[in-house]
Amino acid sequence: MGRFFITFLAWAICYATCKAQTSKPDTIYAEYVQEEIQLDGKPDEAVWKRAVHINNFTQRELNIGEPATERTEVAILYTAKTLYIGFWGYDRNPQKIIAREMKRDFDWGGEDNFEVIIDTYNDDRNGFLFAINPNAARADAQVLNNGESFNKFWNGVWDAKTTITDEGWFAEITIPFSTLKFPTDAQEQIWGINFERNIRRKREQLLWQGWSRDSELELLNRAGTLAGLDSIVSKDFIEIKPYTIGGGEFTPGQEEGQWNAGGDINYLITPTLRMNLTLNTDFAQVEADRQQINLTRFPLFFPERREFFLEGQDYFDMGMGNSIIPFYSRRIGLAEDRSTVPIIAGARILGKVKNSTLGALSMQTASRDSIPSTNYSVVSWRQDVMKQSSIGILSANKYENGRWHSTTGGYGLYSTSKLFGDKNLNIGASFTQNINSDNYDSKANAHRIYLSYPNDKVEFDMAWQRSAPAFNPEVGFLRRDNFQEFYAELEWKPRPKNFLKWIRQFSFKGLDMNYFVFDDTGELQSFSYEIRPLGFETRSGEFFEFNLQRKAEGLREPFEIKEGITIPEGDYWYNRMEIQAATFSGRTWSVYSRINWGDFFTGKSTESTYELSWRASRYLKIGANYEKNWIDLPEGSFDTDLIGSRMEYAVNPNLFGSLFSQWNSEDEEAILNFRLQWIPIIGADFFFIVNQAYDTSGNDWKLERTTILGKLIWRFVI
């Protein structure tokens, strides 16, 4: 009898504790389990039923503040080495679930999905985002600075399985603790966490916490709490990822074999600070750049596409915008013509120590033709201050042929999400200076001051930035030099309530100005002013906007816009109009179009863009794009064409690929890129790549070169 009473009392205490845990609407409690969970997408084992479930999800869209129209539940289990997340997405009409992708890093904006963000530092600033759809497609990202930086190119080691039944769709997610960085000096881990579910056919967005219209999942300071993690095993972590590559390049009359090997070593210096060593770095699996047609006198910007640099790019961002980039990673391993320069080896450190976020990178490239062997080194430090703000420094350096160049500076950000109670405000400033070993010019600097009020109904942004004539970041990128820019934008986005209920949100702009002057003279360099008398997004996901534009260009010297056609120096003011429209991307068929027309320098021009996408099934998606420009000037007339197509296919979430082709009339070259990726085990990859280039300047296509490569990357954990 006594034993029975003790057992009953223990059970009652446990039950009361569990009830007390579930009584906190912003806290989810993880339950420790001894056994490994069978990952099959069916969270119906007894251990899942014992776990504490949360179901208090609230609509952010379309009907803010209302409860979920479909029952949604989440629970968390963990072992000493692994975190498990169970998801129950009940749906009374499961045949209407939208899920048409299966590949890794899928575009989850048009799919039914479930998202998790975890703030392992519990600092309300940094987190790891994981997203899945009902087909078990996976995507992930790193979030820094409370949503200010969003790096979707980060790839963690994790897995998910799903099932679809007549009750809805369900999922199990497994995340090894070695994928996450977190301090281990506390006996119990307390993390920030939040969840989001999207039901696309209803345009319904559900959040567990932070469902204000001026919030979103990436705002970690509005997340809930994950408690109960008190039995995690902490140990040193070494990850080894060797690769081998083989294939050949074939040109008319010549064949050249390509064989190589190298790899990466990742080591946790501390539980929150990781070092990465890379040897004989190779990026053969990277897709070709998307072609662009340039009708301006400024250089084109091509985004980084190499995973090694993408994973840490947010650590080396000074907040100077897109016109002044102190560190541009494409300077490493790529020549001006975008050809490859071999990378011998490199080292990188990324992570956080208490309130300091640290980043360091050093890469050594080999010599090639007239390009000397060069060392590139970048160091970044950012310190958390106050609740959401930060200060930091960044130094990007290049050393070649005995000469040292540095672009070094500091920055600060004041950020709050509680202005007027719940509004967002960011105020920042940056300054950077060139330092050279062969000469020093104190005037070779650039700076920026900005203010951003990014909220749902009213959005206001303004900035001033300057790049002195002598400023030249040799490891960075300038869209233009010798300039000052004055920028301001005001957008009003009301949501109709009692009329036009088919519209989700309007967009009206009375101010959108970019005014550039030459820094050395104060004369006009460029000017753009846009008014949007009408723009809207429908509740079903369609989009439309009509814009009126006033533009100007100040030419100090003649501008050759096309071979044989030159625009004389002088100031040119002109007016243009623009219409953009798109259908909801989550449909089987979706389209986007843009047409911009009006005056252009001394004549007229029309620019048009068309995109078409067909999601045939979860196994196949086909897209096409076409850009056409007509330019009619007194100095001469011409037109340009850019055509692209893309076919994406997936056999399952671990076997997928694409066929990408593009051609433009300026280069008269067609490029075809075939890419297959297989994930034999989570963390390992096999790529099969075929690249072809055709010369189309004659009457027919002439094959210039074909590259065929296979690349295997394996993963070992010690």
Side-chain angles (χ1 to χ4, degrees):
M1 183 69 180
R3 181 178 298 177
F4 172 80
F5 178 77
I6 293 172
T7 302
F8 177 81
L9 182 62
W11 178 88
I13 293 173
C14 178
Y15 179 79
T17 302
C18 291
K19 294 296 287 184
Q21 289 176 346
T22 57
S23 68
K24 294 183 178 180
D26 63 347
T27 301
I28 182 170
Y29 292 86
E31 180 169 325
Y32 178 75
V33 294
Q34 295 280 356
E35 67 272 21
E36 296 291 327
I37 306 299
Q38 181 182 357
L39 196 69
D40 57 7
K42 301 175 182 178
D44 55 5
E45 296 93 341
V47 67
W48 282 116
K49 295 177 181 178
R50 292 198 306 268
V52 178
H53 289 225
I54 59 166
N55 57 16
N56 52 320
F57 283 78
T58 305
Q59 289 191 50
R60 182 177 181 266
E61 297 285 357
L62 286 166
N63 303 303
I64 187 170
E66 295 188 7
T69 62
E70 303 290 349
R71 180 180 161 196
T72 304
E73 295 183 4
V74 176
I76 294 180
L77 305 172
Y78 75 103
T79 65
K81 298 180 180 180
T82 307
L83 186 73
Y84 295 93
I85 301 173
F87 167 73
W88 292 261
Y90 293 94
D91 197 315
R92 286 164 290 184
N93 295 288
Q95 69 278 6
K96 295 183 179 180
I97 289 173
I98 298 176
R100 298 191 176 96
E101 295 204 33
M102 284 201 299
K103 69 173 185 176
R104 183 76 160 88
D105 292 328
F106 73 105
D107 179 9
W108 67 87
E111 304 267 308
D112 276 51
N113 67 48
F114 171 64
E115 302 173 41
V116 183
I117 193 165
I118 305 175
D119 175 8
T120 57
Y121 299 107
N122 200 28
D123 62 0
D124 292 345
R125 302 166 188 263
N126 305 291
F128 300 92
L129 175 66
F130 305 89
I132 61 171
N133 76 356
N135 294 329
R138 306 187 304 277
D140 46 25
Q142 270 186 309
V143 177
L144 290 87
N145 280 343
N146 199 34
E148 281 293 295
S149 297
F150 185 84
N151 184 5
K152 65 180 181 180
F153 299 102
W154 174 77
N155 281 320
V157 177
W158 61 289
D159 202 2
K161 298 294 182 183
T162 60
T163 55
I164 301 177
T165 72
D166 57 4
E167 291 186 292
W169 72 282
F170 309 91
E172 291 176 311
I173 299 173
T174 173
I175 307 172
F177 287 119
S178 59
T179 296
L180 308 172
K181 298 188 186 78
F182 54 91
T184 58
D185 53 357
Q187 184 175 359
E188 180 183 5
Q189 297 289 327
I190 301 295
W191 295 352
I193 197 167
N194 206 356
F195 310 99
E196 178 180 322
R197 180 189 180 185
N198 286 280
I199 308 172
R200 293 299 178 189
R201 72 179 184 277
K202 300 181 180 183
R203 301 275 290 153
E204 184 172 322
Q205 181 188 44
L206 305 170
L207 274 88
W208 178 49
Q209 302 296 321
W211 41 264
S212 160
R213 284 269 167 76
D214 295 315
S215 181
E216 55 188 7
L217 187 70
E218 290 74 30
L219 267 65
L220 288 154
N221 67 308
R222 301 187 181 183
T225 300
L226 170 59
L229 299 174
D230 57 3
S231 301
I232 299 175
V233 172
S234 175
K235 69 170 187 176
D236 294 335
F237 171 73
I238 300 177
E239 178 186 63
I240 303 174
K241 298 187 73 172
Y243 82 83
T244 181
I245 187 170
E249 182 169 285
F250 309 92
T251 57
Q254 185 177 359
E255 298 181 4
E256 181 180 352
Q258 295 186 15
W259 308 96
N260 214 338
D264 295 349
I265 299 175
N266 300 317
Y267 171 64
L268 282 179
I269 301 173
T270 72
T272 61
L273 196 64
R274 187 182 73 169
M275 179 175 66
N276 171 241
L277 304 176
T278 181
L279 177 66
N280 204 18
T281 313
D282 174 85
F283 304 106
Q285 73 272 23
V286 175
E287 191 174 80
D289 287 319
R290 180 165 179 170
Q291 294 181 353
Q292 304 177 52
I293 292 177
N294 191 5
L295 297 177
T296 75
R297 63 194 194 276
F298 307 110
L300 291 173
F301 175 80
F302 289 91
E304 179 62 82
R305 306 181 72 86
R306 298 168 297 175
E307 183 178 308
F308 178 86
F309 295 106
L310 287 169
E311 285 187 349
Q313 65 180 2
D314 295 312
Y315 286 82
F316 306 111
D317 181 7
M318 286 187 66
M320 297 199 77
N322 296 323
S323 295
I324 304 172
I325 303 176
F327 172 59
Y328 180 44
S329 58
R330 284 179 65 106
R331 299 294 182 210
I332 305 173
L334 290 173
E336 290 293 332
D337 63 356
R338 291 183 280 155
S339 60
T340 301
V341 177
I343 296 176
I344 300 172
R348 179 178 64 182
I349 295 175
L350 301 174
K352 186 166 185 176
V353 179
K354 295 185 178 180
N355 293 326
S356 298
T357 301
L358 306 174
L361 171 72
S362 183
M363 307 289 289
Q364 185 71 39
T365 61
S367 59
R368 198 207 73 185
D369 302 328
S370 61
I371 302 173
S373 178
T374 306
N375 177 266
Y376 299 87
S377 296
V378 189
V379 178
S380 172
W381 165 80
R382 182 168 60 244
Q383 183 72 22
D384 298 343
V385 295
M386 297 187 289
K387 190 70 175 177
Q388 295 175 223
S389 306
S390 60
I391 57 174
I393 58 174
L394 182 140
S395 180
N397 304 270
K398 182 176 77 171
Y399 184 82
E400 65 177 7
N401 287 340
R403 177 181 177 272
W404 170 63
H405 167 87
S406 177
T407 299
T408 299
Y411 58 95
L413 171 68
Y414 170 75
S415 180
T416 179
S417 58
K418 295 185 178 180
L419 183 70
F420 309 131
D422 62 351
K423 304 301 179 186
N424 302 300
L425 176 69
N426 301 306
I427 301 174
S430 307
F431 175 85
T432 187
Q433 171 76 43
N434 287 159
I435 305 170
N436 299 314
S437 60
D438 51 358
N439 71 291
Y440 173 74
D441 186 347
S442 62
K443 296 181 180 179
N445 53 54
H447 34 272
R448 180 174 187 247
I449 300 172
Y450 64 94
L451 179 148
S452 177
Y453 180 80
N455 293 287
D456 180 69
K457 190 172 184 179
V458 176
E459 183 169 349
F460 176 70
D461 300 279
M462 61 182 298
W464 171 77
Q465 59 182 334
R466 171 180 178 265
S467 175
F471 182 69
N472 178 28
E474 297 180 17
V475 195
F477 180 84
L478 287 178
R479 289 297 298 267
R480 58 179 80 208
D481 56 16
N482 183 22
F483 76 90
Q484 291 188 47
E485 179 192 11
F486 303 87
Y487 161 71
E489 179 180 4
L490 176 63
E491 184 178 6
W492 182 44
K493 300 177 290 183
R495 296 171 181 259
K497 295 182 179 180
N498 301 319
F499 67 100
L500 299 176
K501 293 185 177 181
W502 55 276
I503 291 179
R504 183 183 79 91
Q505 191 168 27
F506 282 106
S507 171
F508 301 109
K509 276 188 184 179
L511 173 65
D512 188 351
M513 181 190 73
N514 294 82
Y515 178 40
F516 294 88
V517 299
F518 288 100
D519 184 62
D520 55 357
T521 66
E523 297 173 341
L524 170 71
Q525 188 180 85
S526 297
F527 177 82
S528 174
Y529 194 105
E530 180 176 278
I531 296 174
R532 182 175 301 155
L534 179 62
F536 60 84
E537 181 185 357
T538 68
R539 292 174 71 91
S540 58
E542 277 62 51
F543 151 81
F544 173 85
E545 66 180 43
F546 172 59
N547 301 311
L548 301 173
Q549 299 170 342
R550 178 69 168 166
K551 293 181 176 290
E553 295 291 341
L555 303 184
R556 278 185 162 183
E557 56 188 27
F559 167 43
E560 187 177 44
I561 191 171
K562 185 178 175 60
E563 185 176 359
I565 301 177
T566 301
I567 301 172
E569 63 179 283
D571 292 350
Y572 299 88
W573 291 82
Y574 44 92
N575 300 315
R576 300 182 66 80
M577 291 187 285
E578 179 182 75
I579 291 176
Q580 295 191 51
T583 61
F584 176 44
S585 62
R587 292 197 174 93
T588 303
W589 289 90
S590 61
V591 296
Y592 165 81
S593 63
R594 170 186 172 271
I595 182 167
N596 186 295
W597 72 97
D599 302 327
F600 185 68
F601 287 100
T602 55
K604 303 279 187 180
S605 78
T606 300
E607 304 171 5
S608 59
T609 301
Y610 310 95
E611 296 179 3
L612 174 67
S613 179
W614 176 40
R615 291 171 171 80
S617 69
R618 60 179 177 172
Y619 304 106
L620 180 65
K621 181 172 74 172
I622 298 175
N625 63 280
Y626 176 52
E627 296 181 22
K628 178 75 174 182
N629 297 304
W630 294 270
I631 294 89
D632 184 13
L633 303 170
E635 296 80 11
S637 300
F638 65 98
D639 58 85
T640 67
D641 298 275
L642 191 155
I643 302 172
S645 66
R646 185 180 188 88
M647 181 177 71
E648 296 182 351
Y649 53 89
V651 178
N652 57 56
N654 294 324
L655 180 60
F656 50 89
S658 64
L659 176 61
F660 177 46
S661 63
Q662 51 185 339
W663 174 84
N664 78 74
S665 58
E666 294 297 288
D667 297 335
E668 294 187 313
E669 182 182 57
I671 296 175
L672 278 72
N673 175 240
F674 172 80
R675 185 174 181 268
L676 175 70
Q677 182 176 356
W678 175 42
I679 305 174
I681 61 171
I682 299 300
D685 296 278
F686 173 76
F687 298 92
F688 179 70
I689 307 105
V690 179
N691 293 320
Q692 290 187 313
Y694 291 85
D695 180 3
T696 65
S697 58
N699 294 326
D700 55 2
W701 286 24
K702 180 181 178 181
L703 180 61
E704 292 184 317
R705 65 184 180 277
T706 299
T707 304
I708 302 176
L709 294 171
K711 181 177 181 180
L712 177 64
I713 306 170
W714 209 254
R715 178 177 184 262
F716 302 93
V717 177
I718 301 175

